[in-house]
Amino acid sequence: MTDTFYHFKSALNALLPFTADALHVHVGLFVFIVVLAVVRNDSRRFAIAFGIVLAVCLANELLDVLYDLRAGNAVRWRNGVKDTMNTMLWPTVWAVIGAQLHRRKAAADSAKAARPGLPHLSGEPE
């Protein structure tokens, strides 16, 4: 399995015009966006998307370690940390921003529901 995965990654890296580091960034963000689109009606969608990207990222790094061990190479721990940071940077930023925006919207909706008799002044239709 590790050989098949390694060959898939090598083919993907050869096919796309990105460095390996950039590929980690793009794949992490792509998976994050796809998961957000799939679970868009769940209030925890940003946390779910973050968790799935983290799971995919760690599975990738585990397969890298297993491949290195099977090939008789030294495990490249520093490279694994760098890959994890590259993959998780933007999903982390967007998960934090998304969670904050969701909390603010929920608080505003809650405040609006608590005052049903007051006129709506924000300019948005009710």
Side-chain angles (χ1 to χ4, degrees):
M1 178 170 168
T2 57
D3 289 339
T4 303
F5 182 71
Y6 182 77
H7 291 303
F8 170 75
K9 280 178 47 173
S10 296
L12 192 62
N13 207 6
L15 178 69
L16 297 174
F18 304 122
T19 64
D21 290 342
L23 197 55
H24 279 273
V25 173
H26 292 303
V27 168
L29 194 52
F30 176 77
V31 170
F32 187 78
I33 290 169
V34 166
V35 173
L36 283 178
V38 169
V39 294
R40 64 182 202 211
N41 291 329
D42 192 319
S43 63
R44 300 165 299 147
R45 65 187 176 273
F46 289 98
I48 292 168
F50 178 86
I52 290 176
V53 172
L54 182 60
V56 169
C57 175
L58 294 177
N60 174 56
E61 294 311 315
L62 176 63
L63 289 171
D64 283 349
V65 167
L66 293 175
Y67 179 81
D68 283 342
L69 291 174
R70 184 164 182 219
N73 300 328
V75 176
R76 298 167 292 158
W77 295 109
R78 187 175 287 175
N79 191 53
V81 170
K82 178 186 58 134
D83 289 349
T84 302
M85 290 174 62
N86 279 333
T87 303
M88 296 307 300
L89 173 68
W90 289 111
T92 301
V93 169
W94 285 110
V96 169
I97 290 170
Q100 290 298 320
L101 291 175
H102 178 73
R103 282 190 201 106
R104 287 183 185 178
K105 184 180 181 319
D109 290 348
S110 175
K112 182 179 173 184
R115 297 177 279 157
L118 295 177
H120 189 67
L121 302 176
S122 71
E124 298 175 6
E126 291 189 28

